[in-house]
Amino acid sequence: MPPVVPPFLVGLIVAPLAKRLLKPLVGGVVRASVGIAMEVKKAAHEAGENIHDLAAEVAADVVAAQIAAGDTEGHSVPGQHTTETGVKGDRRTPKIRATAESAAGKTH
C-alpha cells in the first residue's frame, strides 16, 4: 500500500508552483483584456463622432434643399396653433431672416 499524503501537504507544495506559473499568465490575460477594452472604447467613440458628423451634414443638406426650393413657408411648426386666418399662439422667439439686400447692406 502506497503511503497516504495528506491533502494539505500537497497544497503546500503545489501552491508556490501554481503562483509562479499562473501569476504571469493571469497578468498577461488581464493586460490583454484591458488593452482590448480600451481599443473598443476608442473605436466606439470615433464611430459616434462619425455618426454625429454625418447627421449634421445631412441636416445641413436638407435645410439647404428646403431653402433652395423655397419650401420653408407654410409648414406647421411645433408650438404654433393655426387658424383659418393664419398663425396664432406662437410661443417661440421670432427668427430674423437674412435677405440678399440686408446682407449687402441695403435697407428697406
Side-chain angles (χ1 to χ4, degrees):
M1 187 177 247
V4 177
V5 179
F8 74 91
L9 287 178
V10 173
L12 288 175
I13 295 170
V14 172
L17 291 174
K19 182 179 177 183
R20 286 184 188 163
L21 295 175
L22 292 177
K23 187 175 180 180
L25 179 66
V26 171
V29 169
V30 170
R31 276 189 217 95
S33 299
V34 169
I36 290 170
M38 293 188 74
E39 289 295 322
V40 167
K41 184 178 178 181
K42 181 180 174 184
H45 181 71
E46 289 176 0
E49 286 180 352
N50 290 340
I51 289 173
H52 180 71
D53 291 345
L54 181 62
E57 289 176 14
V58 169
D61 289 345
V62 168
V63 170
Q66 286 179 347
I67 290 172
D71 200 24
T72 58
E73 296 295 323
H75 287 288
S76 170
V77 178
Q80 292 182 346
H81 303 288
T82 57
T83 63
E84 291 179 9
T85 58
V87 177
K88 180 179 177 183
D90 188 4
R91 295 183 198 110
R92 298 179 305 132
T93 306
K95 294 182 179 178
I96 299 172
R97 296 185 185 190
T99 62
E101 291 177 351
S102 65
K106 297 179 183 177
T107 58
H108 295 286

